[in-house]
Amino acid sequence: THIRASNPGLPIRVATFDASEDTTRFLNATAKHDGNMTVAPVRAPKSVKGWLRKPFAILESPFEKTLWLDLDVRVDEPLEYVFGLFTGEQVLIQEVLAFGRDELVDRTKGNTQYYHVMVPHEYPGLCTSMVGVMRGNDLVAEWAGTLVPPTEFLFKGDHEALTLLMYRRKTERVWLPKGRYSQVYMAVNPDATLMHHGGSACKQMV
């Protein structure tokens, strides 16, 4: 309701991951009442679980420009300006404010590596709670492909896969204007108009 209150005319597509029958009925009824919202289950290989299906959802977006938002991102401002921030191969994304260098397992070499071996510490860890891309950007398909077992690396999250991929590809990152985005669990900028409720405890606040 918060995103619709601040963006009454914005076309919205809700991508569902293993939604229950009750949830599906609720979403379909909401979409019918809204008139500018659609609901679709994400099609991904059965071996891809949970949030690792996120890039598959983005691939199925019907829009020329897509702004993916996790359900735990609260939106309290019009988003029209956001779609003007990125074009071509650029990716609108935000930095993880409390980024941990998670361990990755290199399947091809059979040994354990750490994230900083592949991505320098000065390169920011990226948060995939908000991702803006143009239709046809092949980065998304490659991102999805890296998450289908058997994979080169065993990723704990989709954000680690995308961070590594964007670093390797030298993808141009686009940030939101300073002060617009924040993450609740870091208690950073409580006046932000795009707020990510990351972590289990914070998700209970949504």
Side-chain angles (χ1 to χ4, degrees):
T1 56
H2 53 86
I3 188 171
R4 184 50 84 210
S6 54
N7 293 268
L10 183 71
I12 296 174
R13 182 182 182 92
V14 178
T16 61
F17 300 164
D18 301 324
S20 68
E21 291 184 5
D22 287 345
T23 298
T24 300
R25 280 195 293 270
F26 169 77
L27 289 173
N28 287 334
T30 302
K32 183 177 180 179
H33 176 75
D34 182 272
N36 208 11
M37 168 182 161
T38 57
V39 181
V42 175
R43 294 174 295 178
K46 292 182 179 180
S47 58
V48 180
K49 307 296 183 181
W51 285 108
L52 298 184
R53 288 175 282 188
K54 189 179 300 185
F56 293 91
I58 297 174
L59 282 173
E60 294 177 355
S61 169
F63 308 119
E64 187 65 25
K65 281 192 171 185
T66 292
L67 178 65
W68 168 273
L69 294 171
D70 284 358
L71 284 177
D72 56 2
V73 174
R74 182 177 178 86
V75 179
D76 290 317
E77 69 170 345
L79 293 173
E80 285 87 354
Y81 80 94
V82 176
F83 292 94
L85 296 176
F86 61 94
T87 188
E89 299 300 307
Q90 295 174 327
V91 173
L92 177 86
I93 199 162
Q94 298 305 300
E95 181 178 356
V96 177
L97 300 181
F99 185 65
R101 298 289 177 170
D102 288 325
E103 183 180 279
L104 302 178
V105 177
D106 185 334
R107 296 179 182 275
T108 60
K109 297 179 181 178
N111 64 349
T112 300
Q113 295 189 18
Y114 289 89
Y115 207 48
H116 68 267
V117 174
M118 295 163 287
V119 180
H121 277 290
E122 60 270 17
Y123 190 89
L126 303 176
C127 178
T128 57
S129 64
M130 178 186 306
V131 181
V133 292
M134 295 284 294
R135 184 199 298 275
N137 188 335
D138 64 359
L139 172 76
V140 181
E142 187 173 354
W143 178 24
T146 65
L147 300 174
V148 179
T151 60
E152 178 184 1
F153 298 100
L154 179 62
F155 292 103
K156 293 182 67 176
D158 55 272
H159 63 285
E160 292 135 330
L162 186 58
T163 298
L164 178 58
L165 185 58
M166 289 181 64
Y167 168 71
R168 286 177 169 175
R169 290 174 55 125
K170 296 180 172 59
T171 302
E172 183 179 355
R173 307 181 304 272
V174 177
W175 310 116
L176 283 173
K178 187 175 181 179
R180 293 289 182 92
Y181 174 86
S182 194
Q183 294 162 356
V184 171
Y185 59 89
M186 288 292 291
V188 177
N189 189 15
D191 297 323
T193 48
L194 291 155
M195 187 73 74
H196 179 212
H197 292 70
S200 298
C202 292
K203 283 176 172 54
Q204 295 176 11
M205 299 167 59
V206 180

